[in-house]
Amino acid sequence: MQELVQTVLNSDEKNALRQLISSLGATGKQYLLRNEILQVFADYCQKSHKPAYFFHSSALGNLINFTHEIIIEEESTWFLLRPWIASQEVWRLGADMTHFEKMTPQALLDVRDRLVNRSQPQILEIDLKPFYQGSPDIDDPRNIGQGLAFLNHYLCHQLQYDPAHWLEELFKVLHRLQYSGVPLMISDRLKSGAELAEAVHQAIHLVREKPPSEPFEKFRFDLQALGFEPGWGNTAERVRETLELFDRLIDSPEPPVLEAFVSRVPAIFRVVLVSVHGWVGQEGVLGRPETAGQVMYVLEQARSLESRLREDITLAGLDSIGIHPKVIILTRLIPNCEGTACNLRLEKIQGSENAWILRVPFLDTNPPITQNWISKFEIWPYLESFALEAERELIAEFQGNPNLIIGNYSDGNLVAFLIARRLKVTHCSIAHSLEKPKYLFSNLYWQDLEDKYHFSAQFTADLISMNAADFIISSSYQEIVGTPDSIGQYESYKCFTMPELYHVVDGIDLFNPKFNMVPPGVNENLFFPYNQEENRDREARAKIHELLFTQVDSQIVGNLADPTKRPIFAVAPINFIKNLTGLAEFFGKNKELQERCNLILLTSKFTPEQATHPEEAAEIERLHEIIDRYELHNHIRWLGIRLSTLDLGEAYRTVADCRGIFIHYALFEAFGRTLLEAMISGLPTFATQFGGASEVIDDSENVFHLNPTDSEGTAKKVLRFLDECDANPQYWHEISTKVIERVRNKYNWTLHSKQLLLIAKIYRFWDYVTPENREARLRYLETLYYLVFKPRAEKILEQHRQR
C-alpha cells in the first residue's frame, strides 16, 4: 500500500484527494463507511468531469477501492484500508497532505473513542495474537475456512519429515481410544509405534486369508492376540481396508489416505448440541421468530449425527459389543411453557433411535424471570449456574463424559466453553449469526444500547467462545471474511473498541485452521420438490392453497383481486434485518410488478401486541402502514399465522405449483435456512447479496442476487426474469431444476454430518499433539470471563431483580 499511497501524493491526483476529503467533510459526517465513500467519490468524479477510467483505474481510484472506513479529524484523516480479504491496515493522512503514515490498530481504536467523546488514557487491551503464534497458519486468504484440508496436508508433511516421531504420536492417539473403560483399536500388548506398525503387517496377512464377509466376531480373538481391539471393522474386508489405510499412511502419508483412515477411527460416541435460549421442542415452538431457524437446525443436525454415528459404529464392528451412540440437545427447561413441551426434562427426538432433548432449568434465584422464556439479549446472568447443573445431568445421561460438545449461537457457545473446559472435551462452535455486524456501530455506541441489548456481555462472550473452540463451523466463506467489498462476521471481531470498557487489538486469527465451512442441509422428508406428486397429500395441498390465496381470517391481510397472478413468496420473522417492510415497500412502489404478480408474506406475528420487543412491534406497525399507504390490499396476502413444518413445506410447493418465485430481501443474511427450503421445493430464488446467502445461490449471470438498498436495481432483475419466463415457458422449469439440484448436491445433512465428525476427529488428534499453546489461550480466556464477562452479566441480573 505504501507505493500506491506515494503515487497519489507525488502526482496530480494529490489535489483530487484533497478535494475528495473536502467533499467527504461536506457530508457533515466524521465517520464514513465504504458505500458512502464510494458514492461521494463517484459524485466528485462526475462534478469534476473526470474521465471514466479515473474512478476505477487511477491511483486514487485504487486507493479508494481499498478503503473501507474514513474518519475525518481536524488535523488528520484516517483510512482503514483492506488490501485483500482478511487483511486490514490503518493509515493517517496529515492535514498538510505531505505524508501518509501507517499506524497501529491501537491508534485507530483511540480515534474511534475520541469520535464519540469517550476516550480515556488507559484502557484494557485484549490481544489474542500471541496465543496463535507458533501454530500453523493458512497463508492464502482464498483457503480460509478449509482448516480440515490444511491440517491434513500439514500432518502428512510432518509424518514425512519425522516419520518415527509421528508414528509414536499416532500410536498414543489410538492407544487412548476407549469407551466407558473398554479399550478400542489397540491394547496394552503393543508398547510403541514401531510394534504397532509390525503388528499391522501381521494382521493384514491374517485377514486376507478370511472370506471378505466373515464377521469380525469370528476372528476377534486372533486379532487380540496381535494386540488389536474392536474398532477396525465389522467384517474381514472392512478390517483389512482399515489396516491397509493405516499401513499406507505410515509408508506414504497423503491427505486423502489420512482423511480416509481418520474417518474410520471410532472416537466419537456421545455428542452434545447446546442451544440454550430458544423454545427447543418438536411441536408448537418452531415458529417462534427469534429461534425458529436455530431450533430446526439443531433438531435436524441431531438426527443426522445420530444416524451417521450409528452407521460408523456398525461398520467399525462396535455394535456387536454393545456400543451405541447417543446425541443430546441441551437446552433450558421453561416452567411456564405456554402449552409446549418445553417443561419436560427429557424428550426423545422423532425419527431417531437414541437422540434426545435434555432440558435443565435455570436456578430459581429470580422466579418471575427464570420460570419464563428469556430473550437471547437477557439470558447472560443464568448461564454459568446452568452450565454447572447441565454438566452433572449430561454425565448422568451419558453415564460418562461426552466426546464432542457443539455450541449454537452466542449463549450456547459460552455454555459449551464452560462445560468443555471442565470436562476437557472437544469443543465445536457454530455461531449461526453474530449480532455485532448486524447492528451498525453497535460496539462504538454500546453504552447507548446496553439497557436494550446488553452487547457488552454478548460481544465478550463471542470473543471467549470463538477463541476457546477447537474448531469453528461456518455455513459460508463470507461468514468468516466477507467479500472484497464487505467485512465478514468473524472478521468484525478482529479489531474493535468498546469505549470505556476495552479495546480489542487482535480478537481472532482468521488464518487459523480452526475455521471450516460445513453448510447445513434441509430435511427432505418435509421439504421436497413440488413435482414429487407421489409424496404430496391432496387434502393438505388444497388446504394450503386456500390459505395462501383466498381464505378469510382475522390474522390475514389482503383479498387478492386476481389470485392467478404469479406469486412472489417471502417467509421470515418480522424484524429490521429481515426487511419484510422493505420488500413490501419495494412492491408497493412498482406498479408493473403489481400488475403481473401478487406478494405473499408468511410471518408468525401479525399485531404489535404479539411482539416480544419494541423493534418487532415497530416493524409490524410499519408493515400495516405500508400496505395502507400503497393500497396493496388487492395485491398482497400477509399471513400472520404460525404454520407447522409440514404445512410450511406444502406452502413452498403450492407457490411452485403456480410458477412463483421466492424473495429473501434481508439487509444481511448469514446463511438463510429458508433459501434451502424454497430451492429444494423448486422455487427460483432471489436473495440479498449481503452475507452468506449470496453463496447459497449460484448466480454467475448476476440475476438472483439482490441489493435491498437498491429498489430500482431489484425491480430490473425481477422483471427481467418474469420477461424471460413469459417469452420462454421452459425457463422457469430450467431454473427450478437447477436450484433443486444445487441443494441436493451441496446442502444435505449426510455430507454435513460426515464432514463435521471427520473434522472433530482430526482436531482431537491435533489437540493431543499440540496442547501447550491451547492451554495458555484458555487461561487467558478464563481471565476475560471472570474479570470482564461476569461483572457485565451481574449488572443484567441486578436489573432483573429490580423489575
Side-chain angles (χ1 to χ4, degrees), residues 7-78:
T7 300
V8 174
L9 294 182
N10 297 335
S11 69
D12 294 340
E13 294 181 20
K14 177 178 178 179
N15 189 51
L17 175 58
R18 179 184 286 110
Q19 293 173 351
L20 174 61
I21 291 173
S22 177
S23 298
L24 290 168
T27 64
K29 295 182 177 181
Q30 286 184 270
Y31 200 151
L32 295 105
L33 300 180
R34 179 173 176 77
N35 286 342
E36 297 167 316
I37 297 166
L38 290 174
Q39 186 60 57
V40 171
F41 184 46
D43 292 343
Y44 164 77
C45 290
Q46 184 178 13
K47 291 176 182 176
S48 303
H49 305 291
K50 297 292 183 183
Y53 82 89
F54 192 84
F55 181 86
H56 298 286
S57 305
S58 65
L60 179 57
N62 287 331
L63 177 64
I64 296 304
N65 187 54
F66 289 130
T67 302
H68 278 254
E69 296 179 7
I70 288 179
I71 298 177
I72 301 174
E73 291 192 302
E74 187 173 341
E75 298 297 326
S76 305
T77 303
W78 295 76

Side-chain angles (χ1 to χ4, degrees), residues 485-504:
D485 295 319
S486 63
I487 289 174
Q489 290 191 64
Y490 283 98
E491 188 180 359
S492 74
Y493 284 77
K494 180 73 173 174
C495 180
F496 67 95
T497 174
M498 302 282 282
E500 299 179 333
L501 182 60
Y502 56 67
H503 282 174
V504 176

Side-chain angles (χ1 to χ4, degrees), residues 271 300-313 325-327 348-349 351-356 753 757:
V271 179
E300 291 169 7
Q301 187 185 54
R303 290 189 193 98
S304 179
L305 283 172
E306 192 253 358
S307 176
R308 181 72 197 187
L309 285 169
R310 274 192 289 110
E311 181 181 346
D312 288 349
I313 287 170
K326 188 170 187 176
V327 175
K348 188 174 182 182
I349 296 175
S352 74
E353 288 190 18
N354 201 17
W356 303 80
S753 297
L757 291 172

Side-chain angles (χ1 to χ4, degrees), residues 534 557 631 727:
E534 68 278 9
V557 164
E631 299 179 345

Side-chain angles (χ1 to χ4, degrees), residues 168 268 305 369:
E168 290 303 316
I268 298 174
L305 283 172
I369 299 291

Side-chain angles (χ1 to χ4, degrees), residues 276 362 379-388 411 414-415 418:
V276 183
F362 286 168
I379 202 168
W380 305 106
Y382 310 102
L383 296 181
E384 183 175 333
S385 59
F386 172 81
L388 290 171
D411 49 5
L414 189 68
V415 170
L418 293 171

Side-chain angles (χ1 to χ4, degrees), residues 387-566:
L388 290 171
E389 182 60 30
E391 178 187 322
R392 290 189 285 270
E393 295 268 6
L394 288 169
I395 292 172
E397 284 297 321
F398 283 130
Q399 297 183 345
N401 285 0
N403 310 115
L404 172 64
I405 296 181
I406 303 173
N408 289 270
Y409 197 71
S410 296
D411 49 5
N413 277 309
L414 189 68
V415 170
F417 156 69
L418 293 171
I419 298 175
R421 178 68 174 137
R422 286 171 56 86
L423 298 182
K424 301 189 184 306
V425 176
T426 303
H427 171 200
C428 165
S429 170
I430 306 178
H432 294 288
S433 179
L434 292 160
E435 298 294 332
K436 181 175 169 292
K438 284 185 186 178
Y439 295 84
L440 191 61
F441 298 131
S442 53
N443 59 289
L444 195 60
Y445 295 99
W446 70 271
Q447 284 138 309
D448 301 329
L449 302 168
E450 189 69 358
D451 287 344
K452 185 176 181 180
Y453 294 115
H454 306 296
F455 284 145
S456 65
Q458 180 153 10
F459 297 168
T460 306
D462 288 336
L463 276 174
I464 292 169
S465 58
M466 70 175 64
N467 283 286
D470 293 277
F471 63 97
I472 295 171
I473 293 298
S474 73
S475 297
S476 66
Y477 179 79
Q478 292 188 37
E479 188 178 335
I480 309 170
V481 289
T483 69
D485 295 319
S486 63
I487 289 174
Q489 290 191 64
Y490 283 98
E491 188 180 359
S492 74
Y493 284 77
K494 180 73 173 174
C495 180
F496 67 95
T497 174
M498 302 282 282
E500 299 179 333
L501 182 60
Y502 56 67
H503 282 174
V504 176
V505 177
D506 198 313
I508 186 69
D509 182 358
L510 300 167
F511 291 86
N512 189 274
K514 71 163 56 186
F515 286 101
N516 288 271
M517 290 181 289
V518 186
V522 62
N523 186 342
E524 289 198 50
N525 292 320
L526 300 171
F527 303 100
F528 53 85
Y530 73 100
N531 53 14
Q532 285 185 205
E533 296 287 348
E534 68 278 9
N535 294 333
R536 298 181 67 178
D537 181 272
R538 183 177 300 176
E539 290 185 10
R541 187 173 181 172
K543 181 189 76 171
I544 293 299
H545 188 279
E546 181 183 3
L547 178 68
L548 292 180
F549 294 101
T550 59
Q551 182 174 315
V552 176
D553 190 282
S554 61
Q555 295 295 98
I556 299 176
V557 164
N559 182 19
L560 300 179
D562 182 2
T564 64
K565 290 180 184 177
R566 192 185 302 269

